[in-house]
Amino acid sequence: MRFLLAVLSFVLLTGCMNQKSRQFKEYLKGDWRIENPILQSFIRFEENGKTTYYLNQFSYRLDSLAETGRWSLDEIRKGIETDTFVVTIDKQPQKTVFQFVAVNEDRIKVIDEKGQTFFTRIQKSNFTTD
C-alpha cells in the first residue's frame, strides 16, 4: 500500500512539474528586449529550442548580424510566491545559466553570475519598417 501511495505521489508531482514546464516554455516564446543601460539588445526564444541574440536595435530590425544558439529549461525551483526557472543558453563562446523569475506576462527578471537585469516582451507591431 505504501509503495502504491509513493508511486501515485511521484506521478502527481511529475505531472505538475511537466505542466509548469510547458507553461513556462509557452510564456518564454517570442522576442524580448534586454534592458541593458549601454546597449539595446534583443533575444528571441523559439519553441524548437533555438535562440537568436541581436546586439542592437538595427540588427534586430534588419534580422541580421545575429548570434544563434540553443536554450533549454533545466530546472524549476519552487518559491514561496513565485517559482524560479533555470534556463541554459548555449551560444558561442560559452554556455550561460540564467535564473528567470516572471514579473508579469510581459516582463522577466533575469539573474546570472554578473547580476540581474530585466527582459521586456516585444510586440511585433512596435518594430515595423516603413
Side-chain angles (χ1 to χ4, degrees):
M1 183 68 175
R2 288 184 186 175
F3 178 73
L4 181 60
L5 186 58
V7 169
L8 288 175
S9 298
F10 177 75
V11 169
L12 182 61
L13 181 63
T14 303
C16 290
M17 295 305 273
N18 285 339
Q19 181 181 2
K20 279 189 180 187
S21 175
R22 283 190 302 274
Q23 288 174 341
F24 180 76
K25 288 176 182 179
E26 186 65 31
Y27 167 80
L28 191 60
K29 281 189 327 188
D31 295 4
W32 298 83
R33 183 175 70 83
I34 301 170
E35 296 179 15
N36 183 332
I38 300 167
L39 301 170
Q40 288 186 5
S41 34
F42 298 83
I43 192 164
R44 175 177 296 144
F45 294 98
E46 296 180 29
E47 184 174 8
N48 61 4
K50 181 180 175 187
T51 185
T52 308
Y53 173 78
Y54 301 93
L55 184 60
N56 57 44
Q57 189 178 113
F58 301 108
S59 63
Y60 177 74
R61 285 185 179 180
L62 298 173
D63 198 14
S64 65
L65 300 174
E67 296 178 19
T68 58
R70 308 280 308 156
W71 70 275
S72 62
L73 175 60
D74 296 338
E75 181 183 350
I76 301 173
R77 295 183 182 157
K78 181 102 175 101
I80 295 172
E81 293 183 23
T82 300
D83 294 339
T84 300
F85 300 88
V86 179
V87 175
T88 297
I89 299 177
D90 186 4
K91 77 175 183 65
Q92 296 303 323
Q94 66 186 21
K95 283 186 182 183
T96 307
V97 177
F98 294 101
Q99 295 180 28
F100 284 36
V101 177
V103 175
N104 61 37
E105 67 183 47
D106 292 325
R107 197 157 192 233
I108 301 173
K109 180 178 181 180
V110 181
I111 306 163
D112 67 3
E113 68 276 353
K114 297 176 189 170
Q116 67 183 25
T117 191
F118 288 90
F119 289 7
T120 304
R121 186 181 304 279
I122 297 295
Q123 306 301 328
K124 282 293 188 182
S125 61
N126 293 343
F127 282 91
T128 57
T129 54
D130 297 315

